[in-house]
Every structure is written in structure tokens, then in C-alpha cells.
Amino acid sequence: MIDFSRQYCLVIDDFQGMRTMLRDMLRELGAQRVDIAASGGEAVGMLGNHRYDIVLCDYNLGAGRTGQQLLEEAKVRNLVGPACAWIMVTAEKTSDAIMGAVEYQPDAYLIKPVTAALLETRLEKIWTRKAALQEIDQAMQAKNFSKAVALCDQRLQYDRANAGELQRLKSQILLNAGEWDRAREVYEQVLAERELPWAKTGLAKVHFHNGNYAAARDLLQQTIEENRTYLEAYDWLVRAQQQLGDAEAAEQTLVAALRLWPNSPLRQKNLGELALKRGDRDAAEQAFRKSVVVGEHSVMKSADAYLGLAKVVGANKPDEALKTLGLLQKQMAGDDIRLRAKSAEGLIYQASNNPQKAEQLAGEVGELLQGMAGKPGSEASMEAASLMLATGRRETAVELLQSVVRNNHDNRELLNQVQQVFVAANMAEEGAALVEASRQEAIELMNRGVLLAREGKIDEAVESMYQARAALPANVRVLFNFAYILITRMQQGNAPDTLRADARNALLQANRLAPGDKRFNQLMDALAKLQASP
Amino acid sequence: MMESEQQPDLSVFLVSSVHDMKNSLGLLSAMLEKMLADLSPEDSADYDQLAHMFYEVKRVNSNLIHLLAVYKLGKELYPFDPQYHVVCDFLDEVVSQAQPLIASSKVRLEIECEDGLVWHFDDDLVSGVVNHALNNAVHYTRSKVKLLARQNGKLLELRIEDDGRGYPPSMLLDGSSGRKAIDFASGSTGLGLYFAEKVAQLHRNRGSVGCIKLENGGAYGGGCFVLQLP
């Protein structure tokens, strides 16, 4: 039984009558603390101030965010944790119930009319499930994937009620840990019993990872035929078709997914990019516009859609492009966003023969770069570099681009993009040399520590890795090597206390940058073993 | 030459009207439920009449819900969402929703559910089917109804059995022959069965498809409605 007197509840509904009714219902069940919000905006504020245990949210909140968008925002911004029970109240079952990603699903839908008895049964059910998965959730939050998988296995032996959810969770953790073969085993096991679309799509992801794009494509097409509304399969099919060089099919798949569910800012943006690639500016403009519109109240809104739209309309309608970039800065915050918007503004002025304004923007971008706490992301760096090159600030541009190369020395696609920035500024040859030099520099920095360790000079190796990490703070392979060398040092005993935390932080950062790399889990396990021994 | 007047798309009005009627009947049924709960069968002469009204309102309301679902299924708009469910918990929830009707009918309901049964199905749709079958059984039975869930080979079998007179031979269905033509003379619209059949057929697994059956016999010797899901 739930002790409602201890639960902090929030009721969100735009109708006064419904709010009161739901609040009274919760009180009838024994709840003592029930807050109410009349709109998505009000609810966001309250969710930010308190950790609620139960949220009852109407799906249709009038103008502004929908209930689903509110839930997505709450999850993305970590306003609610896995322990919170989020119940969506709807007049009828909506497509959101099946079209959205699993991680943004509410714990239950309640279809009106809601009764206190039904609410109680549903909450009991949610609580039992959450209690069953609590330990696994905690292990996942701590990024202890091996433990999370072991807990899943333990529970799978006796918990039949949650078996389906546990298998899905286990396969997800294995993918995060880069354990592709073991994930494949889970998918095959599930599929032997029942043809579930998530397991088929999972198996296709394994094919994709192994480079079997045709096998992935065939399996995904089959999944879609059998489960027309399973959108994750469409997303992976697009990727497989792109890998197979079939851009036309990829675009068609994306269009089919958007016909089912037009409200995805990300898919609309992707469609715009595909259309742009094949030179259809009208289609691209339309898709980018749509992305901006459906993303207006969504935390999933895509900066790339605004930037793409500005780029597409920039040549003929510079005023509208500038307005779009202004809107972007109003709608989204962050250094990278400002950097990208201002760089695009500068380039539009440059292209429309307004060198003074371009000059001014380049100055602003330069100031932004100086004032930034961290390093700008790869896209922001390349876009800023384009403006810098266009306005004759060669040194700043080269520095930005070199940093992108150093931090991503094994990402061929990105290196190509960097090269394109040089090409656009008529620096093809010089650019190629610079890219290659930075790439070599990164490899050398990365390997130096490992070579020293191999020669038995472990303390020098550690020091060398600290230098490498400082020089290449976002290079995933450097981060892994860094952790590896530090762990090797710790295994020899009498290591400085700081190494443990430094290794762990480097691993967590590598996992953020490149989830699904097998080395993450291996090194985390090695670190955990060290911690266990005296 | 006269231009013919543009024919409006009637389906839009039909759908919105059905929605409206459904909501209105939902309200009515909640009001009747409350009235019945405040009365007791012994001290009110109106009780039986109210109970009958309640049954009719519920019946039409659930028909309208099915009508909308069938419309959406036909247009591929229905969010079909099968998940794993603990069958006993699921039946408890269905029964608790049907409780007011059962209470007002004086029929005894027995539930028999295999322990530990977990199955994969769309709970909203299947609960609609079971609820409808329960309402029917409660109406046509003499004194008792049994709701039974068990695993039958690779199928989940949900059975609603009563001790009434059973189905007339023309209505019996063995699940393979398909639906019989609608018999307007009997007063049945056939919607309930059509809905049940559609819901059953949506459930598929590894080449096997769900089905419904209408039988006579069962534990109480009356009519049996059977839903089998792979």
C-alpha cells in the first residue's frame, strides 16, 4: 500500500474544475501536499522548485506546451527523476502513447473519466514496478553497467511480471556498454518467444554496428511492415539507407515517419538537411520551417533547423534569415547557440555586400570566443571559423579548426567538414596540410603515454597523459588512454589519491561524448575492482 | 445548367457527433451509477427500472466507444499499444470497472485466473472486449457469470461463461469461419462482435492470429464468449 500522506503531488490542468477534482481525489486517497498548476509554463516553474513524487498531468493544456512536451522537458532538464510517477490524463488514447521514444513515456495513461479507485490501482501498479527497477536504475545512474546487467539477470529469474521490461532494459544497458554480442543474445532470446518491434530494431542496430547495413535495412523494413507506427525503426532505417548510399530511399523513409507523426522537430530538421543535400532548396526550406514551428514549445527544438532555414533563405531573403537567427537566440540559450547564430549572421552580411556589419559580427564572435568558459563544440567552431576566414581573421580560424581536428582526429566525416571550410576560403592545399599536421599531433600525444608505459616508465606515462588530456580535452580516445594509464599506475600501488577521481571523470566524459564504447565499461570495471581491494 | 450542390463530408459530422454522444452518455451513466449506489434494492420500487436504464445507457455508451475505435482502426489511426500485463491484475481492473453494473444486476460473478499468467496485449482494447462480453453475459444469464483466464497451448484464452439459454445455433462461431452476416431482425447491430473480432485479429505473433469464438456449454452450461490471443 502507498502511504499517500508522504507523497508530494502536482496536478496540472488548464480547467479549474478538473484541477479541483483531481486534487480532491488525491486528498481522498490521503495525500496532504497537493500543488496545482494551470499551464505548462506554471508547471515548469513548480517542477523546478520541488521534487514531486506524483504528477497528474492533463495531456491537452490549451495554448503552449502539451502535456507530452511538458513531460519531455521535465525529463530532459532532470526536473523529475526515475522515482517520480507521472500519469497523463487524456480524453482518449493519443498517438503520443505509441509514437514517442520510450524514455519520454509517462508511467501510465488514464483515460477520462478518472475515478479515485482507478487512480489508486494505477499508482499501486506503478509503484510496484518502480520498486522492482529501483536498484537497476541506481546502478545505471552511477554508470555501473556491469552491476546493472547482473541485477537484471537476478531479477529475471523470478520476476515474471516485469520480465519484458527487464529484458528491454538489459539490452539497452548492454548497448550503452558497447557489449554488442551480448545485446544480440538478448534480442534473439526475446524474438524466439515473441516478435517485439523493439527487439527486432535492436537486432538491426547490432547489424548496423557490425557494418551489415543491408541486413539492418531488410530487418527494419520488415519491422515497419509489421508495426507501422514503430518510429524508432524508421530512424534506423534512414541511417542504414544513408550508409548504403541510397539517399532517395532515406528521404522517403523520413517522409513516411513524418506523415505518421509530423510533430518531431528533429526529424523535420533531418528531412531539411537531406533535401538540401540533393539541392532541393524549396523542400529544405519547408522542412526547416516546419521544424521551427513544431519545436516552438518543445525542449527537443533544434538549433540546426533555425540555422538551416537562415542558410536556405539567406541568399534571396537576407532580412528573413536575420530574423530567424534573432529568434533562435531568443528561443535557445547557451554560448554555442550564440556563437553559431552570430557567425551565421556575419556570413549573411558578408554575402549581401555589407562588409561593415560582417566585420562587426566577426568582432562580436571573437569576443564571445575569448569569454567562453569551455571550448566551443565542433559545429560552432567550424561555423565561427568560416566567418573568421571570410573577414580575414586567419589565425583565429586556424586555431579553431585545429582544435576540432585534434579532438576528433579519427572522425573522418568531421575532418572532411573541416577541410571543406578551408576549401570555401580558397585554402585547400594549406588546409589539408594543417589538418594532417593536427591529426599527427593528436596521435602522437595520445600514444606517447602508452609507449612510455610499455617501456615501464609508468610515472612519466601518467604525466604525459595529463598533458595530452589538457591539450585534447574532448578527444575520446585520449580520455580512454588517460584512464587506462592512470588505472595501470594505481594497480601498482601507492598512487596519489587524485588519480582515482581523475580517471573516473575522464571515463564519464568519454561516455558522454561517445556512448556505447566498450572500453568505457571495461575500464569502469577495472576501476571498481581497484576500489574493492584494500 | 445547374451546378450540383457540394456534398459535405458527412463522416466528419458523424465522428464528432458520436464523440459528443459518447461523452454525454458517459456523464449520464456516472449520474445513474451514483443514484443506484445511494439506493438499496429492497426499499425502492424504482431500483429495477433504474438498473435497467443504467444497463441500456452503459450498453449504448460502450457501443459508441467501439464505433469510434472501429473507425480509427479502419483509418489506421488507432494507437495500438500491446504490452505485457499480469492477467489477474488486468481482470481485477476490468471487473472493478464493471462492478456497479454487476452490483445492480444481482448476478453473481466468479473470477478464475491461472496464477502467474503474464501476456502481451493492448489492455485498452481487450478490456473493451471483455467489458462488453461481461455486460452481455450479465444481461442474458440466469444467476451467475464466470470470467476465466488460462493458457491454452500457445494462446491466452479469456472466457466469459453464463448459465443463460446460450447462443442460438445461427450465432455460434468457431473462430475460423469468420463473422456471420449481421442479423437486423434480432435487434443486434453486430458491432460488438465485429469490434471483438477486429481486436482479436490485431493481436499477432509468429504467424498466429487472435480470434473469438461463441460456444454453448462451459462450466455453467450457458453461453460462452471466448477470446484467444497468441
Side-chain angles (χ1 to χ4, degrees):
Chain A
M1 287 295 281
I2 313 169
D3 179 2
F4 277 92
S5 69
R6 301 166 65 95
Q7 308 295 330
Y8 200 174
C9 313
L10 175 63
V11 170
I12 310 158
D13 200 305
D14 55 333
F15 281 110
Q16 161 83 41
M18 265 314 266
R19 283 200 297 276
T20 318
M21 200 195 84
L22 291 171
R23 187 195 56 199
D24 291 350
M25 220 174 257
L26 285 165
R27 287 192 179 153
E28 198 183 312
L29 293 172
Q32 287 170 1
R33 293 200 297 175
V34 185
D35 290 347
I36 51 177
S39 71
E42 197 183 335
V44 166
M46 301 177 82
L47 286 161
N49 288 332
H50 306 285
R51 296 303 271 190
Y52 290 100
D53 303 298
I54 298 173
V55 179
L56 295 188
C57 176
D58 191 54
Y59 172 77
N60 196 343
L61 292 174
R65 296 173 184 79
T66 64
Q68 180 61 33
Q69 286 175 328
L70 181 61
L71 170 58
E72 285 169 2
E73 185 163 347
K75 291 227 171 172
V76 167
R77 293 177 51 195
N78 203 19
L79 304 177
V80 296
C84 171
W86 188 297
I87 294 184
M88 207 70 92
V89 181
T90 64
E92 57 181 337
K93 199 156 190 178
T94 65
S95 303
D96 284 30
I98 50 165
M99 302 270 190
V102 174
E103 56 266 40
Y104 302 120
Q105 290 289 318
D107 293 295
Y109 284 91
L110 271 188
I111 296 176
K112 294 176 198 171
V114 180
T115 63
L118 197 59
L119 181 59
E120 193 178 13
T121 350
R122 281 300 158 90
L123 279 167
E124 294 274 4
K125 224 188 214 175
I126 295 171
W127 245 267
T128 317
R129 194 181 65 222
K130 284 196 187 288
L133 304 180
Q134 189 188 19
E135 259 188 303
I136 300 168
D137 267 331
Q138 282 166 353
M140 277 168 72
Q141 298 254 309
K143 299 273 178 190
N144 193 340
F145 294 147
S146 297
K147 184 177 172 192
V149 170
L151 287 169
C152 285
D153 282 334
Q154 253 175 42
R155 206 165 177 102
L156 272 166
Q157 298 197 341
Y158 61 89
D159 188 348
R160 288 201 57 193
N162 292 304
E165 177 63 11
L166 284 164
Q167 278 170 316
R168 198 190 58 75
L169 209 54
K170 180 181 167 187
S171 70
Q172 189 56 50
I173 301 164
L174 288 170
L175 282 197
N176 286 344
E179 300 273 359
W180 297 91
D181 290 337
R182 287 176 67 194
R184 182 196 188 118
E185 273 172 38
V186 179
Y187 295 133
E188 282 171 348
Q189 219 176 347
V190 169
L191 289 172
E193 281 283 312
R194 191 170 282 279
E195 299 199 301
L196 298 176
W198 65 261
K200 273 199 168 175
T201 306
L203 198 54
K205 287 183 208 172
V206 176
H207 288 323
F208 187 97
H209 174 78
N210 294 337
N212 299 330
Y213 303 119
R217 177 195 59 197
D218 296 347
L219 192 56
L220 290 162
Q221 275 169 342
Q222 192 194 337
T223 310
I224 290 170
E225 261 164 49
E226 292 161 357
N227 310 271
R228 226 178 47 88
T229 53
Y230 193 71
L231 291 179
E232 199 196 1
Y234 289 76
D235 291 337
W236 281 89
L237 180 56
V238 171
R239 296 184 59 179
Q241 286 165 331
Q242 279 180 307
Q243 289 291 337
L244 290 163
D246 196 346
E248 199 180 319
E251 201 174 327
Q252 277 169 11
T253 304
L254 205 44
V255 168
L258 283 165
R259 206 176 293 132
L260 283 170
W261 186 236
N263 297 339
S264 159
L266 189 64
R267 287 192 195 100
Q268 295 285 5
K269 185 271 292 179
N270 288 343
L271 180 65
E273 286 175 348
L274 282 181
L276 198 56
K277 244 183 212 168
R278 68 174 165 85
D280 188 341
R281 300 179 80 85
D282 288 342
E285 181 180 334
Q286 203 186 342
F288 287 138
R289 264 185 214 290
K290 184 89 186 170
S291 174
V292 168
V293 170
V294 299
E296 187 186 354
H297 300 293
S298 166
V299 73
M300 307 291 183
K301 65 166 66 79
S302 152
D304 290 309
Y306 292 82
L307 292 160
L309 180 58
K311 195 168 158 190
V312 174
V313 301
N316 299 323
K317 297 173 268 186
D319 288 345
E320 201 200 328
L322 292 170
K323 225 170 87 190
T324 304
L325 294 169
L327 192 63
L328 167 60
Q329 293 174 79
K330 241 181 257 151
Q331 294 255 334
M332 296 178 80
D335 283 341
D336 267 34
I337 301 282
R338 285 179 65 200
L339 205 54
R340 298 182 69 186
K342 285 194 179 297
S343 303
E345 271 178 44
L347 286 168
I348 287 167
Y349 282 124
Q350 182 76 18
S352 51
N353 292 320
N354 193 343
Q356 277 111 343
K357 283 294 269 185
E359 192 61 29
Q360 183 196 326
L361 262 307
E364 286 178 34
V365 167
E367 274 168 40
L368 260 179
L369 282 168
Q370 299 235 307
M372 270 175 81
K375 289 250 177 202
S378 300
E379 283 86 11
S381 297
M382 288 188 288
E383 287 158 17
S386 295
L387 178 62
M388 293 297 153
L389 287 173
T391 53
R393 291 166 166 80
R394 189 181 167 280
E395 207 174 309
T396 317
V398 168
E399 203 179 301
L400 279 166
L401 294 171
Q402 279 184 316
S403 165
V404 174
V405 175
R406 280 196 220 106
N407 282 307
N408 305 277
H409 71 274
D410 54 354
N411 184 340
R412 286 272 153 213
E413 204 186 316
L414 203 57
L415 297 192
N416 265 334
Q417 289 173 19
V418 170
Q419 180 61 24
Q420 287 314 309
V421 176
F422 281 120
V423 170
N426 286 322
M427 293 171 60
E429 218 166 293
E430 197 185 348
L434 281 166
V435 168
E436 187 50 29
S438 304
R439 206 176 68 84
Q440 287 301 336
E441 192 188 336
I443 293 172
E444 203 173 298
L445 267 169
M446 186 185 72
N447 289 340
R448 202 194 299 155
V450 182
L451 291 174
L452 283 166
R454 217 172 274 163
E455 290 166 21
K457 300 174 185 162
I458 187 68
D459 284 319
E460 284 169 60
V462 168
E463 201 181 319
S464 156
M465 284 321 295
Y466 269 102
Q467 285 165 9
R469 192 193 169 180
L472 314 172
N475 187 310
V476 174
R477 287 181 64 187
V478 166
L479 289 167
F480 279 132
N481 280 1
F482 174 86
Y484 168 72
I485 296 290
L486 264 57
I487 288 169
T488 312
R489 173 64 190 84
M490 280 183 268
Q491 283 164 344
Q492 299 181 358
N494 287 327
D497 289 340
T498 48
L499 294 197
R500 176 160 296 159
D502 288 346
R504 190 180 152 78
N505 286 336
L507 286 173
L508 291 176
Q509 203 201 340
N511 183 246
R512 267 195 302 276
L513 290 167
D517 191 308
K518 196 170 184 161
R519 289 184 75 189
F520 172 74
N521 198 38
Q522 291 168 344
L523 290 168
M524 281 296 268
D525 283 350
L527 201 57
K529 218 179 256 168
L530 275 172
Q531 258 152 341
S533 56
Chain B
M1 215 166 101
M2 290 271 289
E3 288 256 346
S4 66
E5 198 179 320
Q6 182 115 29
Q7 178 77 29
D9 184 3
L10 262 184
S11 68
V12 177
F13 295 120
L14 282 174
V15 171
S16 60
S17 304
V18 169
H19 245 292
D20 185 41
M21 290 189 277
K22 178 204 77 178
N23 292 342
S24 170
L25 286 179
L27 264 175
L28 255 182
S29 121
M31 284 156 75
L32 284 169
E33 182 179 333
K34 207 163 182 300
M35 285 172 79
L36 278 166
D38 294 340
L39 290 174
S40 81
E42 289 76 30
D43 56 35
S44 168
D46 298 334
Y47 190 90
D48 285 345
Q49 264 184 314
L50 265 182
H52 191 80
M53 274 172 73
F54 184 50
Y55 162 77
E56 287 294 336
V57 168
K58 274 246 157 198
R59 188 179 67 82
V60 177
N61 189 34
S62 98
N63 272 345
L64 294 179
I65 292 172
H66 292 167
L67 193 58
L68 283 175
V70 164
Y71 171 80
K72 286 190 169 183
L73 287 173
K75 295 243 167 201
E76 299 200 331
L77 290 170
Y78 191 90
F80 181 58
D81 182 24
Q83 301 285 345
Y84 281 106
H85 298 282
V86 177
V87 178
C88 296
D89 292 352
F90 166 76
L91 290 186
D92 283 345
E93 218 177 286
V94 174
V95 167
S96 84
Q97 279 176 51
Q99 202 53 53
L101 186 84
I102 295 162
S104 72
S105 71
K106 302 168 205 167
V107 166
R108 198 159 54 79
L109 175 72
E110 193 188 327
I111 308 175
E112 190 181 316
C113 179
E114 235 171 68
D115 240 5
L117 204 49
V118 176
W119 213 261
H120 195 256
F121 56 88
D122 183 309
D123 58 340
D124 284 329
L125 288 177
V126 174
S127 120
V129 172
V130 174
N131 206 355
H132 188 83
L134 263 182
N135 284 3
N136 267 340
V138 166
H139 190 64
Y140 288 108
T141 192
R142 259 189 278 275
S143 63
K144 48 191 179 178
V145 171
K146 184 174 192 170
L147 177 55
L148 189 146
R150 65 183 179 205
Q151 185 165 348
N152 184 351
K154 293 208 155 204
L155 300 169
L156 169 69
E157 188 168 281
L158 298 174
R159 301 180 66 92
I160 294 99
E161 308 181 335
D162 64 47
D163 65 353
R165 278 186 300 168
Y167 294 100
S170 64
M171 275 191 77
L172 295 176
L173 261 183
D174 72 358
S176 58
S177 60
R179 194 169 40 91
K180 306 265 163 73
I182 296 171
D183 178 7
F184 288 103
S186 73
S188 156
T189 60
L191 177 65
L193 276 185
Y194 181 75
F195 173 72
E197 201 169 45
K198 282 284 150 207
V199 169
Q201 286 167 357
L202 271 179
H203 290 83
R204 290 158 190 263
N205 185 39
R206 305 179 63 80
S208 156
V209 184
C211 71
I212 56 168
K213 296 179 179 183
L214 299 179
E215 304 170 357
N216 286 328
Y220 301 150
C224 313
F225 173 91
V226 186
L227 175 66
Q228 292 185 328
L229 301 174

